[in-house]
Amino acid sequence: MSKVIVTISRQYGSGGKTIGEMYAKKNNIPCYGRDIIRRASDVSGINELLFAQVDEKLTNGTLFGISKKIYKGGLLPPSSSEFTSPYNLFNYQAKVIRDLAQEGSCVFIGRCADFVLADQPEVVSVFIHAPKDYCLEQARLRNPMSGADLEKFIAKTDKFRGDFYRYYTGREWNDARNFDLCLDSSKLGFDKCVEEIEAYIKVRFGE
């Protein structure tokens, strides 16, 4: 295929973001992560701080629960009372993801991109994971927290990612059935994970 979109979901400390960036650099394609929020702010005209505030509320668990707001496409207009609701803010992020995916091959880190682009045949969804000790070891390299605090931070971050994913997709974030490829970075290392993604793409698309 002339275009391949790789989406990366990852446990904190597994190196998923780094692996996605490495794959993008090696293949000379763009990699998008939290900058999607800035782009969504530009497209919607909604202050970027509101997107960040919603993420903070979600992190603290105040918007999660048994309810779900599964993404189905579409956008609410400025006249709607729900224009700046978490659901519509996510819809704008999804619009940015879909628009960028139309431009050519790229990598998306997080933001439920695998679900948003599930109807696109050229999408390869990847989940990067690793054992707890490995994630702690990797996280220590870029985080000054103490062992106990860092362990709590990792658990909280992964819980947020799981809740975020469930809230907008109705699926379980760590269910292997939701992804094309699941890789243990502790066994392969970052370079080999990139090679495995490339190998999968070659087998699947014949390139």
Side-chain angles (χ1 to χ4, degrees):
M1 297 182 69
S2 59
K3 180 173 73 172
V4 177
I5 311 297
V6 176
T7 69
I8 303 284
S9 297
R10 75 286 186 215
Q11 287 182 302
Y12 189 89
S14 68
K17 181 174 181 285
T18 300
I19 290 166
E21 292 171 340
M22 288 171 61
Y23 171 88
K25 183 176 180 180
K26 184 176 180 181
N27 290 276
N28 195 31
I29 59 176
C31 181
Y32 304 108
R34 286 193 60 83
D35 54 324
I36 289 171
I37 293 177
R38 175 183 56 78
R39 292 170 181 268
S41 173
D42 291 342
V43 169
S44 65
I46 299 172
N47 193 307
E48 187 175 344
L49 288 175
L50 283 178
F51 288 87
Q53 288 170 4
V54 166
D55 268 11
E56 180 63 26
K57 288 179 181 178
L58 294 175
T59 301
N60 292 331
T62 56
L63 291 180
F64 288 139
I66 60 173
S67 64
K68 299 181 180 69
K69 290 289 186 180
I70 299 174
Y71 170 73
K72 297 179 181 178
L75 296 167
L76 298 175
S79 58
S80 171
S81 61
E82 296 294 308
F83 180 61
T84 59
S85 66
Y87 179 63
N88 204 42
L89 294 183
F90 180 82
N91 286 350
Y92 270 103
Q93 294 175 63
K95 172 179 169 50
V96 169
I97 290 170
R98 292 185 68 85
D99 288 348
L100 290 171
Q102 290 299 311
E103 295 179 3
S105 296
C106 61
V107 176
F108 291 107
I109 308 295
R111 315 315 291 184
C112 303
D114 60 291
F115 186 81
V116 170
L117 299 172
D119 61 335
Q120 305 296 311
E122 64 271 16
V123 171
V124 173
S125 57
V126 181
F127 186 82
I128 306 294
H129 62 96
K132 178 180 177 180
D133 289 345
Y134 180 85
C135 290
L136 273 169
E137 178 184 345
Q138 291 297 311
R140 285 193 190 101
L141 298 177
R142 54 195 175 103
N143 199 308
M145 292 182 184
S146 66
D149 289 339
L150 184 56
E151 189 171 343
K152 290 178 182 177
F153 176 77
I154 291 174
K156 182 177 181 180
T157 301
D158 282 346
K159 183 179 185 305
F160 161 71
R161 289 176 178 174
D163 289 344
F164 185 93
Y165 192 82
R166 187 185 308 111
Y167 188 71
Y168 291 115
T169 73
R171 299 178 178 180
E172 293 302 315
W173 171 67
N174 57 0
D175 188 338
R177 292 171 297 182
N178 294 326
F179 303 96
D180 297 314
L181 196 60
C182 295
L183 301 174
D184 184 337
S185 57
S186 72
K187 291 183 171 66
L188 295 174
F190 294 177
D191 287 321
K192 289 294 184 182
C193 281
V194 171
E195 291 178 17
E196 286 297 317
I197 294 171
E198 292 177 323
Y200 174 87
I201 289 171
K202 184 177 182 179
V203 171
R204 177 171 161 186
F205 300 122
E207 295 186 359

